[in-house]
Every structure is written in C-alpha cells, then in structure tokens.
Amino acid sequence: MSVHPLSSFSATVATLRRAGCVFAEDEASLLHEAAASPDQLAALVAGRAAGLPLEHVLGWAEFCGRRLAVDAGVFVPRRRTEFLVEQAAALAPRRAVVVDLCCGSGALGVALATEASTTLDRVDLHACDVEPAAVRCARRNIGGLGQVYEGDLFDPLPVDLRGRVDVLLANVPYVPTADVELLPAEARVHEPRVALDGGGDGLDVMRRVAAEAPEWLAPGGSLLVEASERQRDAAVEVLRGAGLVPRVVVSDELYATVVIGTAGARVT
C-alpha cells in the first residue's frame, strides 16, 4: 500500500465532497489505500467523483465482514441483505443444499457457505444469474465453494436438485418499475436494470420464484426473499399462494424486511 501526502488526502476529501459524497473522508481513506501510485489515485477519485459506485471503483464490496469482488455492471450487495443471510444460516440443516438465485456477485451464497462452515458439516452451494457479467464475478468469488450457472432463475439448475434444496436464497429485484427512476444514480445508471426492476408492484420476479419454489425445496426447506416494508403483506400472500408457509422477520437496525416461505411435508 502506498502512502500519499496529507495534502493529497485533503484534496481527495474536498473533491469527493464537491461531488456529493456524504462519507467523503471514509471513502478517501479507501481510495488512498487502493491506489498504488498518484496516477492511479487520480483515476480512482475521478471515477468516484463522476458518480461510479464506490464498490465498482474499488473493485470490491464488504459483505458479512468479507471483501468480495464486484465488477463494473454488477449489482452491489447491500448491507441490509446481511440480515437475510443471518436468517438463512439459522435455518440451514447440518448438511445443507443451498441455492442462490439472482446471485449477482455471489455474495449471499459465499457468506452463507463460509458462515455456516463453522457450524455445519457440509454446504452444497449452487448459484445462478441471468447476467453474464454477474456470473463471471460470482465464479471468482465462489471459487471452490460451489457451482455457478448462467440462465433465468431455475432454468440452468441441475434437475437432480429438485425436491432437495434446504435453503433457497432469492435476492430478487423488488423496486416497482415506476420507482426505478427515483433511485440514486449510482444504482440507476451503473447497476443492471434487471437486478432492480421488479415490475409494476415490484413483486413480479418474486411471484415467478415462489411459483416454482415448492418443486425445488426439500420438505421443511425455506425460500428467503427481501421486500420493502410496504410490500410485506403482499409478499406474504405471494408465498402463501404458492403453497408455502410464510412468516416475516424484520431488522430495524438494518432497515431490512425478509419474508420466509417454508415447504411442508410432501403428500404421497
């Protein structure tokens, strides 16, 4: 790590503040840490000041205490989604089959597999995304922890996973189409629309996932999805309508709402 003069650090902070960065000093520290030379620092600062997400500028995001690669054009994992991973870890059996749908960078699957490795015997991790850039990024992050597939929702998954999935993570897009234009430019401009836009009421992709989930979940297995507070009742009905037993857990600290749908025993 190179050390840059204090005057350079002060100039970075001033530049970021002028660009509207609320946490200018914290971001400046990260940019200085990442830069190997003054020229590289200038390029990093210019990218951030131009509105690129900090994670895309740095090339990584911190999630569940780990730095994970996040390439340009890939959805940046949100800190509130750490709450979903916590709930999933509490539900996972000792030998867990885990699927991470709409995986983006693979952050949820990696976090669950590594977190659970201290308490579980084995995690059989499968992840998939429709975006090629996300798939490439997820493969770098997941590495030997599991398999990553490219395709739409369940389509690319191995058929032998049907009826065997213990934990189904689905960080689906849930922003209503009309609200996408209200998002900060960092997300609206630099993240894939398919990772943000959830359709008219924000629940279109959730409905698709819930409709197929019972075919893939093991008896007692659970689907976990994130929603906004105003969508929670509608999301509960989506999961109930698919034949799952729903419940809602909330973190006030992280401003996170997670809806969990659990599969019952199969009728023979």
Side-chain angles (χ1 to χ4, degrees), residues 6-224:
L6 179 62
S7 60
S8 176
F9 182 82
S10 300
T12 297
V13 171
T15 299
L16 296 178
R17 282 181 177 156
R18 285 195 299 270
C21 299
V22 176
F23 303 104
E25 292 193 358
D26 293 338
E27 293 191 11
S29 294
L30 291 170
L31 294 173
H32 277 253
E33 176 188 339
S37 69
D39 286 345
Q40 185 181 16
L41 175 64
L44 295 176
V45 173
R48 181 60 180 137
L52 287 173
L54 177 65
E55 295 82 1
H56 288 169
V57 173
L58 295 172
W60 57 266
E62 184 169 328
F63 188 78
C64 290
R66 299 166 183 84
R67 287 187 177 184
L68 298 170
V70 180
D71 298 332
V74 175
F75 181 79
V76 177
R78 278 35 170 184
R79 182 166 178 261
R80 64 174 174 268
T81 308
E82 294 179 359
F83 182 64
L84 187 152
V85 174
E86 291 177 14
Q87 302 307 307
L91 291 170
R94 294 198 63 83
R95 297 175 64 85
V97 176
V98 176
V99 168
D100 183 1
L101 288 186
C102 306
C103 70
S105 65
L108 277 66
V110 170
L112 179 57
T114 52
E115 178 76 18
S117 65
T118 60
T119 57
L120 306 184
D121 295 331
R122 179 176 62 85
V123 173
D124 183 9
L125 174 63
H126 301 263
C128 57
D129 200 286
V130 73
E131 284 283 314
V135 171
R136 290 192 296 270
C137 188
R139 284 177 175 155
R140 288 168 55 202
N141 285 321
I142 289 175
L145 290 173
Q147 300 295 319
V148 183
Y149 314 92
E150 182 179 335
D152 185 39
L153 299 181
F154 298 94
D155 289 351
L157 293 177
V159 294
D160 64 0
L161 289 179
R162 286 181 180 270
R164 297 180 48 233
V165 178
D166 300 301
V167 176
L168 177 56
L169 307 168
N171 193 22
V172 300
Y174 58 89
V175 179
T177 300
D179 292 348
V180 171
E181 296 307 316
L182 304 178
L183 293 174
E186 291 182 10
R188 186 180 71 250
V189 176
H190 299 289
E191 293 182 318
R193 177 107 182 190
V194 70
L196 303 170
D197 191 341
D201 64 353
L203 303 180
D204 284 0
V205 183
M206 188 185 297
R207 289 187 183 91
R208 293 180 57 208
V209 171
E212 289 193 56
E215 300 177 27
W216 294 86
L217 289 173
S222 294
L223 162 67
L224 296 95

